[in-house]
Amino acid sequence: LLINVATVRDDPFWKDKYRDMKAMQDGVGGLAMWMVREAMNETSDWRPYLCSLPRHVALPIFYPQKKLRKATDMLPEAQQPMLDPILQSHRDAFEVKYLSLVPKLVQRYPGEFHAKDYTFERYVWAASMIMSRSWGRNVTISE
């Protein structure tokens, strides 16, 4: 199984959207939107795999306050004040990326995208799955 940017770029449904929206081309955004759609699509060949993935990844940026306090207390004292700003910047990055995609897709393609289906929670799930399962490698092809 290989799901990557080419999966989105070459998909008949996504091809034009991928080309038209820069936010789709960053390696996570478009792939996350593709995953959300395929996970909801009962006829998708990818649905069984996508639905077998964990419902969430235990990322510190989404820890409840009690668990976050415990994790913070385990850090060296000098690092403790840095944790919250770092986590907040990562939370903000998820939100900014989501807001750069979903409202535009809903506006440009109203018959194909509905905000109630492409929620922030579903986007975070897909992006978390991508980030927890992908490793990049630069490949140089020489002739």
Side-chain angles (χ1 to χ4, degrees):
L1 284 177
L2 178 63
I3 301 172
N4 60 24
V5 234
T7 307
V8 182
R9 187 185 59 225
D10 300 338
D11 184 287
F13 178 83
W14 288 101
K15 185 173 22 180
D16 294 336
K17 297 157 189 77
Y18 182 86
R19 185 187 63 239
D20 294 342
M21 292 183 58
K22 191 79 168 156
M24 295 276 291
Q25 301 170 16
D26 72 345
V28 174
L31 196 50
M33 292 291 95
W34 178 89
M35 287 177 65
V36 169
R37 182 172 188 272
E38 294 301 303
M40 292 187 298
N41 180 358
E42 292 182 8
T43 62
S44 170
D45 291 337
W46 290 102
R47 188 170 196 256
Y49 168 71
L50 295 171
C51 291
S52 75
L53 295 172
R55 297 309 323 145
H56 76 283
V57 175
L59 298 172
I61 61 173
F62 300 117
Y63 280 1
Q65 279 297 77
K66 186 176 179 180
K67 187 172 183 176
L68 185 56
R69 267 194 308 278
K70 190 175 181 179
T72 303
D73 291 343
M74 294 172 65
L75 292 172
E77 195 170 325
Q79 293 178 357
Q80 290 178 6
M82 295 182 261
L83 184 62
D84 194 48
I86 290 170
L87 295 179
Q88 188 58 51
S89 72
H90 287 282
R91 282 186 215 104
D92 292 346
F94 270 101
E95 188 172 351
V96 166
K97 182 46 114 177
Y98 171 80
L99 292 173
S100 75
L101 287 165
V102 174
K104 290 177 184 176
L105 286 168
V106 169
Q107 182 181 15
R108 289 184 189 177
Y109 308 96
E112 300 175 55
F113 293 94
H114 306 284
K116 68 176 179 54
D117 294 328
Y118 292 85
T119 62
F120 180 67
E121 290 76 17
R122 285 181 176 161
Y123 172 79
V124 167
W125 165 78
S128 299
M129 292 301 108
I130 294 164
M131 294 185 318
S132 67
R133 285 161 172 72
S134 62
W135 299 271
R137 175 179 283 163
N138 291 332
V139 177
T140 304
I141 300 173
S142 59
E143 295 180 28

